[in-house]
C-alpha cells in the first residue's frame, strides 16, 4: 500500500494588470543591468525600468532592500516522472515545485515510462504543460526505450519540440552509436546531454569509491567510471564536430577534461548540481538513502574542483537533477535504495548560501549559470528585462534565512538530504506567460 504524502496544491494566478517591483536590485547581463531600479509590469509586459519609483502606483507592489530580480531561472535537468510514475511526480506537481524554487523554465529528461522516445510522448508533454507558468521543454531519448541499442526517431521528436537528446539515467555504452547520434544531432544543431558512466565500472556499486566507501564497507563507484566516458565523448565530439553537454559532472578529472576540451575550442559544455558542490561522500556515514544519487557525492577535493570549475566558467550551468522517488523505495537499505534526490526547492538556497554568500560567484555569474547558459545550450530564447519584453522573471530575497522542510514542498516526493538544512536565499515570486506564482510563507 502506497503511503501518500500530503501534497500542497499550487495555483498559477493570473498576473495583475499592473505590478511594481520597487527599489530592487536588477540583474540582466545581456542588458548590462546591475543596479537598484523600479520595474513596472503592465499587461504582462515590462513597461518601465525606472531609477526612481513612481510617486504613486495603484497596482500590486513588491519591495524589499534584499530583493533581487533576474530573468526567470532555468533548470535544464529535471525528472518529472510523467508518464509512468505519477505517484512520484507529475508534470503539474513538478511545475509547481519548480515555480516554488524560483524557476520559470525546465527541461525534463526522458527516463519516463514509456520513455520520451516517440513524437507522441513529446506532443503529450508539450500539450499538458502548455498553460503552465513554467515552460516545460522535453528532452527526448537518444535510443529507443533508452536501451542503448538503436537510435530513436530523433528527427520527428525534434520537429515536435524536443530541445535535446539524452538517455539520462543511463549512458550510451556503444561508442559507435554515440558517434552516429552526434552526427545526426548536428543536422538539427541540438546538443546531446550525456549521462557519463561506464557501467562496467559502476555496476552494483552504491557510493563514491574512496576513504568512506572503505570505512563503511560499501562498494564504491570510482570517479574513473565518469571520466572515462567524458574523455570518450569529448573525442567523439572532436571527431564528429557535434555539440555535447555533460550532465551532472562530479569529479575533479571531469572538470579538467572539459577545461581542456574548451581550450581546444570544442563545442563541449557541462552542468553541476547543487548537491555536488555542497556535500561530500562523508555524509553517507549517516546511511541516509537521501545521500544516494548517481553520480555519487564525491571527495572534498572533487567538490573543490567543481567550485573552481564554476568560478572559471568551465562549468556552464547549475542544474538540479530533481529526481523524485517514493518514500517506500527510499526506505530501503542503502545498497537497495534507488539513486536520486529532489532538488528544485533547495537549489536557490544552496546557490545563495554556498556560492553567493561565500563570494565564490557574483549575481552576474548566477545569471550566466542559471538564466542564460542553460537556455543558450538548448537553443531557447533568453528572456530579458527590457521595456516592451514579456515579463519572465524571478524575484528572490538574497538575505532570507530559512530551513527547508517537507511541509512547504509542492513535490509528491520527499527524498532530499537537505531537510532542516540552514539556507539563505529564497524565491519570492516568479512571473511568466501572464501568470504569477507566490512562494508561500514558511510554516
Ligand atoms: Zn543522469
Amino acid at each position: 500500500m502506497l503511503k501518500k504524502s500530503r501534497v500542497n496544491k499550487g495555483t498559477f494566478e493570473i498576473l495583475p494588470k499592473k505590478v511594481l517591483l520597487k527599489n530592487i536590485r536588477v540583474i540582466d547581463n545581456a542588458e548590462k543591468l546591475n543596479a537598484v531600479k523600479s520595474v513596472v509590469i503592465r499587461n504582462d509586459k515590462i513597461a518601465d525600468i525606472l531609477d526612481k519609483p513612481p510617486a504613486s502606483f495603484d497596482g500590486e507592489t513588491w519591495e524589499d532592500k534584499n530583493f533581487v530580480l533576474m530573468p526567470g531561472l532555468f533548470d535544464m535537468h529535471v525528472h518529472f516522472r510523467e508518464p509512468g510514475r505519477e505517484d512520484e511526480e507529475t508534470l503539474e506537481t513538478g511545475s509547481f515545485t519548480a515555480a516554488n524554487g524560483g524557476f520559470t523554465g525546465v527541461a525534463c529528461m526522458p527516463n519516463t515510462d514509456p520513455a520520451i522516445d516517440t513524437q507522441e510522448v513529446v506532443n503529450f508533454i508539450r500539450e499538458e504543460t502548455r498553460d503552465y507558468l513554467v515552460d516545460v521543454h522535453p528532452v527526448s531519448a537518444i535510443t529507443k526505450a533508452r536501451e542503448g541499442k538503436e537510435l530513436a526517431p530523433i528527427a520527428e521528436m525534434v520537429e515536435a519540440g524536443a530541445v535535446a537528446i539524452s538517455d539520462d539515467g543511463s549512458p550510451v555504452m556503444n561508442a559507435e552509436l554515440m558517434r552516429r547520434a552526434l552526427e545526426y544531432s548536428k543536422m538539427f544543431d541540438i546538443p546531446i546531454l550525456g549521462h557519463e558512466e561506464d557501467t562496467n565500472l559502476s555496476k552494483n556499486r552504491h557510493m563514491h569509491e574512496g576513504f568512506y566507501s572503505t570505512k563503511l564497507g560499501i562498494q564504491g563507484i570510482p570517479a574513473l567510471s565518469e571520466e572515462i566516458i567524458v574523455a570518450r565523448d569529448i573525442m567523439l565530439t572532436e571527431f564528429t564536430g557535434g555539440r555535447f553537454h555533460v550532465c551532472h559532472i562530479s569529479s575533479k578529472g571531469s572538470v579538467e577534461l572539459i577545461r581542456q576540451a574548451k581550450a581546444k575550442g570544442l563545442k563541449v559544455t557541462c552542468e553541476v548540481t547543487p548537491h555536488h558542490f555542497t556535500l561530500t561522500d562523508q555524509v553517507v556515514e549517516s546511511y541516509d538513502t537521501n545521500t544516494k544519487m548517481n553520480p555519487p557525492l564525491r571527495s572534498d577535493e572533487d567538490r573543490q574542483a567543481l567550485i573552481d570549475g564554476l568560478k572559471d566558467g568551465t562549468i556552464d550551468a547549475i542544474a538540479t537533477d530533481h529526481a523524485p522517488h517514493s518514500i517506500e523505495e527510499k526506505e530501503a537499505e542503502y545498497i537497495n535504495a534507488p539513486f536520486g534526490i529532489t532538488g528544485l526547492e533547495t537549489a536557490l538556497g544552496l546557490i545563495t548560501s554556498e556560492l553567493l554568500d561565500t563570494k565564490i560567484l557574483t549575481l552576474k555569474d548566477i545569471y550566466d549559470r542559471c538564466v542564460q547558459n542553460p537556455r543558450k545550450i538548448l537553443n531557447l530564447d533568453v528572456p530579458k528585462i527590457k521595456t516592451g519584453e514579456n515579463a519572465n522573471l524571478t524575484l528572490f530575497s538574497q538575505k532570507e534565512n530559512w530551513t527547508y522542510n517537507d511541509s512547504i514542498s509542492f513535490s509528491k516526493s520527499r527524498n532530499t538530504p537537505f531537510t532542516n538544512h540552514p539556507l539563505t536565499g529564497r524565491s519570492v515570486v516568479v512571473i511568466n506567460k501572464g501568470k504569477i506564482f507566490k512562494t508561500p510563507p514558511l510554516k
Side-chain angles (χ1 to χ4, degrees), residues 266-285:
L266 303 182
K267 286 180 258 177
V268 173
T269 54
C270 69
E271 71 192 28
V272 67
T273 70
H275 47 274
H276 284 110
F277 67 64
T278 303
L279 303 175
T280 66
D281 57 346
Q282 188 184 359
V283 298
V284 181
E285 280 195 300

Side-chain angles (χ1 to χ4, degrees), residues 223-224 226-227 249-256 298 302 305-306:
L224 188 68
E226 175 176 306
E227 292 155 2
I249 66 164
S250 70
S251 86
K252 185 181 177 181
S254 298
V255 178
E256 192 44 41
R298 298 204 185 271
D302 292 303
L306 295 171

Side-chain angles (χ1 to χ4, degrees), residues 288-312:
D288 176 1
T289 57
N290 293 325
T291 63
K292 184 174 179 181
M293 68 288 287
N294 192 13
L297 298 168
R298 298 204 185 271
S299 70
D300 198 51
E301 196 183 352
D302 292 303
R303 192 184 71 88
Q304 280 302 332
L306 295 171
I307 287 173
D308 292 343
L310 269 169
K311 239 174 155 167
D312 72 9

